[in-house]
């Protein structure tokens, strides 16, 4: 993730420590993948209570931009900054393979460099990526355009309505399970994930997000 | 005191582990197994002598951390 | 706890695995009857695992040096120069027996253990590989073991965030009761920041970091004393449970400490935990060590000195530290929320002294413990002569044989396995599993690429161990070459049966001889390794059957520029060229096993000079930019190799091969060595250059379409091949 | 009938989830939490009317599949 952010922005991302209780001045907070605290309780559950999440919550409440990928997405749902929850994959096995994602809308800072309906490839690597919420919530987020990405073709992890990523109501918090940051270099097999980062950088560096 | 918190998925939420276990049991020949639900149990030693207070604390832990109330519900019981 | 302290005598020593002679040596060294704890220390230090008593005389014959070797065998892992002031640090290690008892935890802790061997030297782990051998797919137990092992390898590697990028898998009934789980880790360090284990500096503190000590995995010998305590068995689980999150913290904390000048020496606590780490660190440094077990972080109450010295609790390290840096180090481990305790100091006595609750529990001179450790030149039986194979007919035809082979357990797609391993975490994986003959990982902040592979063909080793040992090394070298890398060195994991049986010891000796010959011919030295003996399966009639001898080789190579690495996928509208000599060797081939059910004959001969010449040629062509895809030929021979390239690229080929005088099934499925398939835009140029280098080369056909068209005109569609290739694992595992 | 099988790690076996949960609870301010052990619970609907038989079946499932007896032990109870 740091490599993708650095390559897209030309700047060194600031690393934050989980026990920090303030944030510096930032354009964007990114919660990357990993296994926070081993994910031994529920994925993301313990990290959602880390001291740093207080200021992250405040940042989001003030309209700050937040991106969570994989474990970062799980943390954002556990912290209830995003709707729904992520259950064990339907097949009960860790899934490490490429999937294809469909962009639902392109009028957000996260998706502006795609067209709505575009399909791109992204690697996934998770055991708990099965998106779940009750039917009312699913209807609501679909109705309000909060679905960011859906699995195109096979829905390997069994996510409700093939949802792979969602937005907050104000479209400023975004979480998704697959890893666009692992496909930003032809050497690693492609640049399918690059529009996400280029779009973010254009928004912030060029002030277009304001 | 020792308390036990049992966390289960809410009714209606899909339960992949439960489903997988049900399938495996059928394969093993346990034909009369119907629905299977899988959950978690957490047993905690509390430095507390009052059962009601211990339970109240466990309830609080369930709400704050042990269960994700978006999809799960939990029960607490005082064991000893 | 005195119930556990039985009277020490020869009978008890025997239960602890020491022979009468070994116990006699111990008595001479000690000059008195040892304490229970001392007996435990001797028994683990003199075990096969720690002392290499059966293998050492043979291991010494392996070549271990080259200008690019920085540290060969003897350290926690091997270290080679990869340029730009950087070093690759790597090793392979087995966790066979634990993986049979509890496949998930056995495999997981195997991965954890090998990671520690690598980061203890200062390297950040960048890739894991795993060489696995399972019982027959028909054996009802196999499925459970495959499931647990694959979950365990993935569970641990995924959680620590190190990509699992490659490996190999075979199935054979000889592994029914004894699967092999060999895990390899590769790390990268700065050459001026490599950490060794020899302790130095009398008075320096000895620091314990990581997880607390419990009664995990205490040496099987303790079972002997269990009779004295009704529920001792329940109290002492011999299975270790891994905590990959703690491992992750330990990696980060150790690397942070390693950026300072606090560390004098460091060693992970692997097999025999505190005993082997403290004895080896002090022994190598020629100093003494005093340990105070009351300071050891403990997870359970009432642990004895014996239990703490022999515990194999995971995720622990021992560090000798500069006294003036102790508090700085403590602050780092506090930050990462890991235990940190000063548990002793170095002395000038040359002895290990272990104190617990005011008593001296052990006091042993270190030099004789190492120098007088048993060393055996065990009897070897010569290999039985191989009956010549004679002519074999083709009962099924080329098309059917290809479909059978491409779907057989040893060739079928391993995607079901690697799809459970995170192979891209870290964002530096250039070639993922299945994409190339070796995995390729970019070295961060450089253009360098590391190429990694594991190889061994146990059926060849069983038939002719000297040839099979050499072939394993050669195949690793070929796999690295086939991506364009310069092969640098290997690690090995020598899995064999009971060394007290002369035929097994003969296999061991022969395999090492063959490995050494290949290593020398290819300038491909051994820099680290591991030996696992006594791998045998109990047959239904009570007799024991050794595993197929399995000297697994882990190879490492380097590319100046990772972008030059190529894969195996065919490109459309190009040409396929076969390099190397085809004679149709069917002895011990997969075709013979899968089509005729025969495991017979001599394995294909090896010509080490031709291997070197062919490989050097291929590498030069790849780096020269004339090759778009390359695959070496191994299991299943030529047509299987072509089919693998076609499936990987999603591109077919029309094969146009003149009659060669070899029968078609031998031509297409013989396993002649030293061969490569090259996909090239300009076949004439490559073939001409090969000819000038004295290498046989021939055009096989033009790529394109969506099937393999045989010279007979029959076409096998890629879809049909894929279906056959992908069926095996899901059919076995997802029932 | 409904039965519940509760699976816990045997004493002495390292319990990374339990350890991590205990740590997280301390961080959240639950200072009086001592040892924490985490386990699994499986609730099964059985097509069976006899409690003793239901329990015997659950025991058999525990042995064969639900618990890994190398490191875990289990208890069964009939809920209804
Ligand atoms: N246990 C495993 N883990 C990860 N990848 C594996 C494993 N086994 C095989 N692979 C991958 O599958 C591919 C084919 O393996 P193999 O048939 O052994 O190749 P080769 O014969 O060319 O050495 C390689 O990319 C290898 O790394
Ligand atoms: Mg191989």
């Amino acid at each position: 993730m740091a490599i993708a952010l650095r390559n897209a922005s030309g700047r060194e991302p600031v690393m934050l420590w989980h026990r920090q209780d303030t944030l510096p001045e930032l354009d964007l907070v990114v919660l990357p993948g990993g296994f926070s605290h081993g994910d031994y309780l529920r994925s993301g559950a313990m990290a959602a209570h880390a001291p740093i999440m207080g200021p992250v919550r405040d940042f989001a409440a003030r309209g700050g931009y937040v991106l969570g990928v994989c474990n970062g997405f799980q943390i954002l749902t556990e912290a209830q900054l995003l709707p729904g929850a992520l259950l064990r994959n339907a097949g009960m096995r860790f899934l490490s393979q490429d999937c294809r994602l469909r962009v639902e809308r392109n009028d957000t800072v996260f998706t502006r460099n795609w067209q709505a309906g575009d399909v791109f490839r992204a690697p996934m690597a998770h055991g708990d990526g099965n998106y779940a919420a009750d039917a009312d919530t699913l209807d609501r987020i679909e109705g309000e355009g909060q679905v960011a990405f859906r699995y195109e073709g096979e829905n390997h992890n069994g996510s409700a309505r093939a949802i792979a990523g969602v937005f907050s109501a104000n479209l400023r918090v975004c979480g998704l399970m697959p890893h666009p940051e692992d496909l930003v270099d032809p050497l690693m097999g492609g640049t399918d994930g690059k529009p996400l980062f280029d779009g973010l950088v254009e928004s912030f560096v060029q002030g277009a997000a304001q | 005191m020792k308390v036990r918190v049992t966390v289960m998925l809410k009714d209606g939420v899909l339960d992949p582990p439960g489903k997988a276990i049900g399938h495996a049991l059928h394969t093993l020949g346990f034909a009369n197994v119907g629905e299977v639900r899988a959950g978690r149990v957490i047993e905690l030693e509390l430095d507390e002598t009052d059962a009601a207070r211990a339970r109240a604390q466990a309830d609080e832990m369930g709400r704050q951390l042990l269960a994700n109330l978006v999809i799960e519900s939990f029960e607490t019981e005082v064991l000893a | 706890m005195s119930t556990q302290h039985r009277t020490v005598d020869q009978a008890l020593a025997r239960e602890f695995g020491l022979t009468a002679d070994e116990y006699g040596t111990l008595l001479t060294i000690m000059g008195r009857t040892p304490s229970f704890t001392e007996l435990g220390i001797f028994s683990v230090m003199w075990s096969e695992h720690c002392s290499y008593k059966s293998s050492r005389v043979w291991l010494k014959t392996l070549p271990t040096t080259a200008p690019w070797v920085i540290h060969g065998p003897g350290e926690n892992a091997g270290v080679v120069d990869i340029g730009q002031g950087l070093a690759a640090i790597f090793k392979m290690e087995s966790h066979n027996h634990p993986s049979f008892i509890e496949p998930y935890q056995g495999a997981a802790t195997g991965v954890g253990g090998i990671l520690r061997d690598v980061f203890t030297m200062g390297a950040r782990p960048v890739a894991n590989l795993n060489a696995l051998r399972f019982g027959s797919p028909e054996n009802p137990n196999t499925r459970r073991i495959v499931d647990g092992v694959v979950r365990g390898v993935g569970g641990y590697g995924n959680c620590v965030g190190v990509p699992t990028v490659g490996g190999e898998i075979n199935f054979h009934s000889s592994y029914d009761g004894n699967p092999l789980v060999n895990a390899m880790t590769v790390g990268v360090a700065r050459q001026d920041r490599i950490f060794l284990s020899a302790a130095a500096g009398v008075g320096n503190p000895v620091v314990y970091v990581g997880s607390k000590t419990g009664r995990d995995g205490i040496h099987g010998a303790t079972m002997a004393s269990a009779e004295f305590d009704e529920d001792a068995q329940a109290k002492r689980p011999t299975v270790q449970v891994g905590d990959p999150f703690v491992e992750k913290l330990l990696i980060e904390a150790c690397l942070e400490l390693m950026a300072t000048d606090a560390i004098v020496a460091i060693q992970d606590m692997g097999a025999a935990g505190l005993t082997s780490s403290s004895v080896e660190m002090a022994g190598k440094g020629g100093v003494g060590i005093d340990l105070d077990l009351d300071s050891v972080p403990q997870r359970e109450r009432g642990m004895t000195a014996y239990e703490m010295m022999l515990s194999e609790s995971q995720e622990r390290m021992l560090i000798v530290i500069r006294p003036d840096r102790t508090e700085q180090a403590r602050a780092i481990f506090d930050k990462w929320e890991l235990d940190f305790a000063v548990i002793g100091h170095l002395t000038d006595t040359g002895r290990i002294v272990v104190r617990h609750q005011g008593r001296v529990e052990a006091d042993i001179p270190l030099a004789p413990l190492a120098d007088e450790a048993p060393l055996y030149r065990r009897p070897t039986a010569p290999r039985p002569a191989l009956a010549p194979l004679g002519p074999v007919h083709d009962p099924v035809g080329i098309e059917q044989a290809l479909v059978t082979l491409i779907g057989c357990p040893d060739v079928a797609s391993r995607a079901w396995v690697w799809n459970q391993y995170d192979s891209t975490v870290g964002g530096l994986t250039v070639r993922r599993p299945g994409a190339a003959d070796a995995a390729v990982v970019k070295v961060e902040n450089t253009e360098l690429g590391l190429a990694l592979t594991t190889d061994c063909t146990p059926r060849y080793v069983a038939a002719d161990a000297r040839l099979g040992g050499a072939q394993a090394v050669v195949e690793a070298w070929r796999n690295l070459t086939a991506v364009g890398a310069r092969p640098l060195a290997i690690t090995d994991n020598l899995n064999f049966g009971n060394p007290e049986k002369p035929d097994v010891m003969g296999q061991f000796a022969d395999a090492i001889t063959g490995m050494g010959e290949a290593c020398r011919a290819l300038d491909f030295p051994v820099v680290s390794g591991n030996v696992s003996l006594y791998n045998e399966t109990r047959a239904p009639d009570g007799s024991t059957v050794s595993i197929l001898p399995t000297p697994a080789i882990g190879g490492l190579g380097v590319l100046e520029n990772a972008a030059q690495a190529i894969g195996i996928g065919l490109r459309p509208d190009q040409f396929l060229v076969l390099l190397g000599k085809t004679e149709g060797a069917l002895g011990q081939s997969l075709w013979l096993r899968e089509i005729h059910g025969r495991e017979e004959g001599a394995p294909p001969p090896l010509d080490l000079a031709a291997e070197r010449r062919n490989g050097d040629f291929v590498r030069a062509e790849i780096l020269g930019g004339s090759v778009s895809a390359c695959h070496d030929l191994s299991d299943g021979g030529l047509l299987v190799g072509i089919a693998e390239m076609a499936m990987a690229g999603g591109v077919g080929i029309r094969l146009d091969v003149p009659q060669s005088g070899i029968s078609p099934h031998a031509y297409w499925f013989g396993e002649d060595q030293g061969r490569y398939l090259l996909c090239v835009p300009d076949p004439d140029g490559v073939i001409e250059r090969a000819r000038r280098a004295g290498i046989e080369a021939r055009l096989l056909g033009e790529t394109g379409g969506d099937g393999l068209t045989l010279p007979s005109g029959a076409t096998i569609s890629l879809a049909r091949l894929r279906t056959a290739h992908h069926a095996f694992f899901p059919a076995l595992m997802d029932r």
Side-chain angles (χ1 to χ4, degrees), chain A, chain B, chain C:
Chain A
M1 180 62 82
I3 298 174
L5 291 168
R6 185 190 309 137
N7 288 354
S9 68
R11 298 189 198 170
E12 203 53 42
V14 185
M15 293 290 173
L16 303 171
W17 184 241
H18 66 111
R19 282 203 297 255
Q20 241 170 279
D21 52 12
T22 56
L23 291 184
E25 194 64 23
L26 296 168
D27 293 318
L28 170 75
V29 171
V30 180
L31 290 80
F35 279 72
S36 52
H37 301 271
D39 283 345
Y40 292 138
L41 177 59
R42 289 178 311 278
S43 291
M46 296 184 201
H49 293 286
I52 186 95
M53 288 306 288
V56 170
R57 244 176 244 284
D58 297 342
F59 178 77
R62 291 195 308 270
Y65 291 97
V66 181
L67 171 67
V69 171
C70 197
N71 198 235
F73 183 23
Q74 294 161 339
I75 295 169
L76 290 174
T77 59
E78 280 283 342
Q80 296 186 31
L81 287 168
L82 288 173
L86 293 143
L87 304 179
R88 291 299 301 278
N89 293 342
M92 292 295 291
R93 293 194 183 276
F94 192 90
L95 284 169
S96 169
Q97 61 193 88
D98 283 353
C99 65
R100 292 187 313 136
L101 295 181
R102 190 169 75 237
V103 178
E104 291 291 299
R105 59 189 292 175
N106 74 335
D107 55 347
T108 75
V109 295
F110 303 98
T111 55
R112 51 181 266 162
N113 277 21
W114 279 293
Q115 298 296 314
D118 276 357
V119 172
F120 67 99
R121 192 163 61 94
M124 54 181 177
H126 57 247
D128 304 306
N130 184 345
Y131 187 76
D134 59 49
D136 290 347
T137 306
L138 291 171
D139 289 343
R140 179 171 54 77
I141 63 176
E142 285 192 329
E144 295 179 5
Q146 281 180 249
V147 176
F149 305 100
R150 285 186 216 261
Y151 298 104
E152 173 77 14
E154 217 171 328
N155 175 7
H156 296 274
N157 58 25
S159 289
R161 305 191 191 175
I163 293 173
V166 296
F167 295 119
S168 57
N170 69 359
L171 303 177
R172 291 174 174 228
V173 180
C174 176
L176 74 164
M177 285 312 299
H179 293 271
E181 77 275 15
D182 283 346
L183 270 189
V184 293
D185 180 349
L187 186 54
M188 307 303 154
T191 54
D192 280 63
K194 225 168 157 311
L196 171 66
F197 298 96
D198 290 345
L200 287 167
V201 167
E202 283 164 25
S203 304
F204 302 127
V205 174
Q206 297 161 14
Q210 266 71 54
Chain B
M1 309 221 74
K2 196 164 174 178
V3 293
R4 176 187 286 173
V5 181
T6 306
V7 183
M8 303 293 291
L9 286 168
K10 286 183 183 164
D11 281 348
V13 177
L14 205 72
D15 176 6
K19 236 179 69 187
I21 293 169
H23 179 78
L25 288 171
H26 282 145
T27 310
L28 283 176
F30 294 98
N32 68 346
V33 174
E35 213 199 336
V36 181
R37 305 287 286 172
R40 263 193 320 276
V41 41
I42 298 121
E43 289 184 4
L44 309 116
E45 232 14 287
L46 292 186
D47 186 8
E48 176 62 76
T49 47
D50 180 82
R53 274 209 302 270
R55 177 131 189 218
Q57 278 184 40
D59 282 334
E60 194 46 39
M61 295 177 201
R63 269 191 296 277
Q64 283 195 34
L65 179 75
L66 303 178
N68 175 353
L69 298 178
V70 174
I71 43 166
E72 293 172 331
S73 60
F74 70 94
E75 279 169 22
T76 51
E77 91 202 83
V78 176
L79 296 185
Chain C
M1 292 295 128
S2 56
T3 48
Q4 289 182 18
H5 288 187
R6 281 175 63 182
T7 313
V8 173
D9 56 17
Q10 187 166 321
L12 184 65
R14 197 183 166 72
E15 288 176 42
F16 274 50
L18 295 174
T19 65
D21 279 353
E22 289 168 356
Y23 186 61
T25 310
L26 182 164
L27 288 179
T28 312
I29 292 172
M30 294 301 291
R32 59 172 165 81
T33 304
S35 71
F36 191 81
T37 303
E38 287 167 340
L39 180 66
I41 292 174
F42 272 95
S43 77
V44 297
M45 290 313 298
W46 287 4
S47 69
E48 191 65 58
H49 190 93
C50 292
S51 73
Y52 290 87
K53 57 189 167 191
S54 304
S55 57
R56 221 156 67 218
V57 292
W58 292 103
L59 293 177
K60 277 202 299 232
T61 68
L62 288 168
T64 59
T65 55
W68 52 88
V69 172
I70 298 175
H71 291 288
E75 286 301 332
N76 282 301
V79 184
V80 295
D81 182 350
I82 55 169
Q84 305 189 17
L86 298 173
I89 302 188
F90 68 112
K91 183 173 189 287
M92 179 151 44
E93 189 156 273
S94 66
H95 235 205
N96 303 338
H97 297 281
S99 300
F100 180 64
I101 296 168
E102 214 305 279
Y104 184 97
Q105 292 298 343
T109 53
V111 173
I114 192 61
L115 279 163
R116 286 191 293 283
D117 269 328
V118 166
F119 73 74
T120 196
M121 296 196 73
R124 175 171 288 281
V126 298
N128 283 329
L129 293 91
N130 55 112
L132 311 176
R133 302 286 178 323
F134 299 113
S136 156
E138 281 80 47
N139 185 305
N141 223 356
T142 296
R143 182 170 173 240
R144 179 184 69 88
I145 295 177
V146 173
D147 183 73
V149 166
V150 169
R151 281 185 199 277
V153 168
Y156 206 98
N158 298 346
C159 187
V160 292
V162 175
T164 301
V165 299
E168 59 178 336
I169 303 170
N170 289 139
F171 293 86
H172 191 274
S173 58
S174 71
Y175 306 110
D176 279 352
N178 194 318
L180 302 184
V181 174
N182 296 172
M184 169 169 162
T185 294
V186 183
V188 173
R190 271 172 47 186
Q191 287 175 19
D192 59 357
R193 289 243 151 253
I194 289 169
F195 292 83
L196 305 180
S197 58
V202 170
N204 275 344
V206 175
V207 170
Y208 167 121
V209 300
S211 283
K212 295 189 193 332
T213 296
R215 293 188 172 96
D216 320 54
I218 290 172
H219 192 259
T222 12
M223 291 305 169
S225 56
E227 302 151 24
F228 285 77
D229 188 346
E230 283 294 62
D231 49 14
Q233 176 97 33
K235 273 195 206 142
R236 290 193 204 99
T238 50
V239 175
Q240 306 108 292
V241 169
D243 185 340
F245 186 63
V246 165
E247 181 101 335
K248 172 76 179 157
L249 300 177
L250 199 52
I251 295 175
E252 299 304 332
C254 287
L255 291 177
E256 189 171 329
L257 183 61
M258 285 164 169
T260 72
D261 60 355
I263 296 176
V264 176
I266 178 167
Q267 158 117 7
D268 62 296
M269 291 191 222
L274 198 46
T275 293
S276 67
S277 54
S278 56
V279 166
E280 283 170 16
M281 289 178 81
K284 277 185 191 168
V287 293
I289 188 166
D290 265 29
L291 295 180
D292 171 13
L293 297 185
D294 297 321
S295 311
V296 168
Q298 292 160 50
R299 197 174 83 225
E300 295 179 64
R301 253 165 260 151
M303 293 185 69
T304 64
Y306 173 85
E307 289 170 328
M308 279 187 263
M309 289 306 288
L310 271 74
S311 162
E312 294 191 354
S313 289
Q314 301 289 295
E315 291 95 21
R316 303 178 300 161
M317 315 280 282
L318 202 62
I319 306 176
V320 175
I321 210 162
R322 283 178 46 176
D324 56 332
R325 291 284 188 271
T326 310
E327 289 317 305
Q328 182 188 3
R330 185 190 301 276
I332 291 174
F333 284 86
D334 280 353
K335 170 183 154 194
W336 292 100
E337 303 176 28
L338 293 166
D339 273 296
F340 178 103
V342 175
I343 63 162
H345 60 276
L346 300 184
T347 65
D348 59 4
T349 61
R351 305 177 76 86
I352 176 167
V353 178
V354 177
R355 290 172 223 274
H356 186 218
Q357 296 179 342
R359 299 219 329 238
V360 172
E361 292 282 353
D363 183 352
I364 302 173
L366 287 164
L369 179 59
D371 301 343
E372 285 165 48
L375 181 63
Y376 299 121
R377 177 175 277 275
R378 297 199 186 273
T380 57
R383 146 173 93 76
L386 291 165
L389 184 58
V392 271
H393 71 291
D394 174 8
V396 300
I398 303 302
E399 201 177 320
Q400 180 54 45
L402 174 61
V403 174
T404 301
L405 284 177
I406 207 81
C408 82
D410 282 350
V411 177
S413 168
R414 274 81 178 111
W416 182 91
V417 174
W418 74 60
N419 282 348
Q420 297 180 58
Y421 300 157
D422 192 336
S423 55
T424 54
V425 59
L428 294 166
T429 307
V430 178
R431 298 282 168 209
R432 298 195 224 174
D437 277 350
V440 179
V441 177
K442 189 170 178 280
V443 179
E444 200 170 2
N445 299 324
T446 72
E447 300 298 307
L448 297 173
L450 293 180
L452 313 166
T453 181
T454 75
D455 292 281
C456 179
T457 311
R459 62 181 191 278
Y460 294 173
V461 191
D464 179 345
R466 181 164 161 193
L467 185 143
Q471 194 277 342
V473 173
V474 166
E475 187 174 343
W477 189 83
R478 277 202 304 256
N479 282 336
L480 301 175
T481 296
V483 299
R486 184 162 59 88
L488 292 180
I490 62 172
T491 180
D492 65 53
N493 204 139
L494 308 176
N495 307 274
F496 287 77
N498 181 348
E500 293 159 40
K501 295 182 181 166
D503 56 329
V504 171
M505 202 57 217
Q507 290 174 331
F508 187 82
D510 285 352
I512 291 206
T513 304
M515 285 170 54
E517 286 164 351
C519 290
R520 279 186 206 95
L522 302 172
D523 277 325
F524 199 34
V526 179
V527 294
S528 58
N530 179 245
V531 177
S532 171
L533 300 175
Y534 299 97
N535 292 288
E536 38 187 29
T537 288
R538 196 165 289 280
D541 67 2
S543 64
T544 52
V545 180
S546 293
I547 57 159
L548 293 186
T550 311
I553 303 298
L556 177 138
V558 68
L559 288 130
E560 296 308 317
N561 186 344
Q564 287 184 306
I566 62 171
I568 65 168
L570 286 186
R571 301 295 174 81
D573 307 319
Q574 296 192 0
F575 299 87
L576 193 62
V577 169
L578 170 63
L579 211 93
K581 202 171 183 146
T582 299
E583 293 184 318
L586 284 177
Q588 298 298 338
S589 67
L590 270 191
W591 182 86
L592 190 66
R593 192 181 82 190
E594 296 296 318
I595 304 298
H596 281 276
R598 293 166 61 186
E599 301 181 45
E600 294 169 26
L606 268 186
D607 175 344
L608 294 173
E611 289 287 350
R612 172 124 201 191
R613 181 189 62 216
N614 298 3
D616 287 346
F617 177 81
V618 167
R619 192 176 317 106
E621 288 292 321
I622 294 171
L623 297 179
S626 62
V627 185
S628 61
C630 179
H631 190 20
D632 81 307
L633 289 181
S634 54
D635 280 349
L638 179 54
L639 199 55
V640 166
I642 295 172
E644 287 171 341
M645 293 183 81
M647 286 186 288
V651 172
I653 180 167
R654 170 173 291 278
L655 293 165
D656 184 11
V657 186
Q659 265 322 111
S660 57
I662 300 169
S663 59
H665 58 286
Y667 183 77
W668 290 118
F669 302 115
E671 296 182 0
D672 306 279
Q673 300 291 298
R675 298 185 298 165
Y676 299 80
L677 289 168
L678 308 180
C679 183
V680 297
D682 167 23
D684 297 341
V686 174
I687 290 172
E688 177 49 32
R689 287 191 293 277
R691 218 162 260 150
R692 267 189 266 130
I695 300 170
E696 209 170 283
R698 86 179 328 172
L699 181 62
L700 292 178
E702 188 171 353
T703 62
D706 55 7
L708 297 193
T709 303
L710 299 174
S712 66
T715 296
I716 311 168
S717 72
L718 290 188
R720 178 169 170 215
L721 287 174
R722 279 213 186 91
T723 304
H725 194 49
H726 287 279
F728 169 73
F729 268 98
L732 177 67
M733 301 304 300
D734 293 338
R735 276 181 273 149

